[in-house]
Amino acid sequence: MSRDRSLVPRAEFQSYYGRPIVRPPVWTHDIAIYLFTGGLAAGSALLAAGAQATGDVTLRRVGRAATMGALGASAFFLIKDLGRPERFHHMLRVAKPTSPMSMGTWLLSLFGGAAGVAAAAELAPLLPDRGVFKLVPPVGSAAGYGAAALAPGLATYTAVLLADTAVPSWNAVHPDLPFMFAGSALASGAGVGLIASPGRPARRMAVAGAALELAAGHRVETAYGLLSEPYRTGRPGKLLRVARALTVAGAVAAVAGRRSRVVSALAGASLLAGSVLTRFGVFEAGVESARDPRYTVVPQRERLARQQLADEREPSPRTPKS
């Protein structure tokens, strides 16, 4: 019997004409960069709001400037992917709560408005201190907190956008991917703070962001069976392993190097690099899972087998007495 089984050739998961069963995303690495810059904008806005609440003027200015820089880069890469600038405007004609892309476009626009007002308020010292100009600082403060309130949505909607596709390894990890992106956003925002104005708020944010990213990333890489495999193997696996090492090193250096400006700056750079590689690793893992039919066929067969087993265990309905 065992000899007969050994003669059975191992199944090869191929589709007609060798084409993938699920069409791989047509997105380029511009989208991977967009994932990073969106998270950086959200993390920097939270950093600026924290500095605003604690009265740290330097850190607040750095956070607001980083927010606007990352936001500008996000808009550039998103419009570049859409092909024509007017398509971004067309997406604002409607608001579809069931569409992550529609909600993300609106979220990016509202966040950009609030962050822009907060950044413009930094020019208040150059304006006359009378009349309506007195309203600039409080309006800027309110806008800064408004941007911070929208930041969690901006940091995580891209994870929802990926998970809402049919790409196997993106779709399967939808419970943990938003937390991974949120942690990465916090770590990158803290990285900016550690480079420009290191202090206790940036260090705490770095540790919290790194812990969240590493915990959620571990589940993404291990908790979803075969569909976690692309996150551990090949080029995506290498990117995510390097990202994890950089994130750990950045968090440790942020705490250990609190008395050294150089070590703090290196910690910030390490966290930023780790966040970049995390987004590229997740992006490429999804693309890899779409290219290999095995990641589509095997989970479908496993789900079907579980459903059949559950149906067999259900008690048959009693035949009504006549």
Side-chain angles (χ1 to χ4, degrees):
M1 186 67 179
S2 60
R3 184 179 179 183
D4 294 340
R5 286 181 178 174
S6 65
L7 295 176
V8 177
R10 188 173 181 177
E12 294 183 2
F13 301 97
Q14 295 180 347
S15 58
Y16 291 110
Y17 307 109
R19 299 178 68 85
I21 296 175
V22 175
R23 184 182 181 187
V26 296
W27 295 333
T28 66
H29 279 150
D30 288 345
I31 292 301
I33 301 174
Y34 171 72
L35 300 179
F36 166 69
T37 54
L40 178 59
S44 299
L46 289 171
L47 182 74
Q52 181 179 320
T54 57
D56 189 334
V57 176
T58 303
L59 189 61
R60 185 195 70 202
R61 289 173 177 169
V62 168
R64 288 179 176 178
T67 300
M68 292 309 297
L71 196 61
S74 293
F76 170 79
F77 285 110
L78 179 59
I79 291 173
K80 183 182 178 185
D81 180 73
L82 292 173
R84 296 198 302 269
E86 60 268 26
R87 287 180 177 171
F88 185 85
H89 169 263
H90 297 340
M91 293 178 68
L92 294 174
R93 290 179 174 177
V94 294
K96 294 177 64 178
T98 57
S99 170
M101 178 61 81
S102 176
M103 289 296 96
T105 305
W106 275 100
L107 193 58
L108 184 65
S109 301
L110 294 173
F111 177 87
V117 171
E122 295 296 342
L123 300 176
L126 304 177
L127 301 175
D129 188 18
R130 62 178 179 277
V132 295
F133 296 111
K134 289 184 177 180
L135 298 176
V136 173
V139 170
S141 297
Y145 287 129
L150 294 170
L154 183 67
T156 56
Y157 100 88
T158 48
V160 178
L161 182 65
L162 296 184
D164 195 48
T165 65
V167 174
S169 287
W170 286 344
N171 184 273
V173 301
H174 67 88
D176 292 300
L177 197 58
F179 293 100
M180 188 180 185
F181 277 25
S184 180
L186 287 174
S188 62
V192 171
L194 289 169
I195 293 173
S197 180
R200 183 176 295 180
R203 301 186 200 286
R204 289 180 174 178
M205 188 171 165
V207 173
L212 180 59
E213 180 185 345
L214 293 172
H218 178 71
R219 283 190 53 80
V220 165
E221 294 179 24
T222 60
Y224 297 93
L226 180 65
L227 293 175
S228 287
E229 188 178 84
Y231 295 100
R232 303 191 305 268
T233 59
R235 178 179 161 86
K238 292 178 181 177
L239 290 172
L240 289 173
R241 282 194 292 275
V242 175
R244 184 164 55 246
L246 288 169
T247 302
V248 171
V252 172
V255 176
R258 59 184 179 277
R259 295 181 180 178
S260 171
R261 187 67 182 263
V262 174
V263 175
S264 295
L266 291 174
S270 182
L271 289 171
L272 284 167
S275 182
V276 172
L277 294 183
T278 293
R279 306 311 176 106
F280 272 78
V282 170
F283 178 83
E284 294 199 5
V287 174
E288 188 62 32
S289 72
R291 287 174 177 165
D292 190 340
R294 188 165 57 101
Y295 296 117
T296 303
V297 174
V298 173
Q300 286 180 345
R301 289 179 177 177
E302 291 176 346
R303 286 195 295 271
L304 181 60
R306 287 195 298 270
Q307 183 61 46
Q308 289 176 343
L309 183 61
D311 292 342
E312 291 173 359
R313 289 178 176 176
E314 287 184 356
S316 58
R318 294 181 178 178
T319 305
K321 295 181 180 179
S322 58

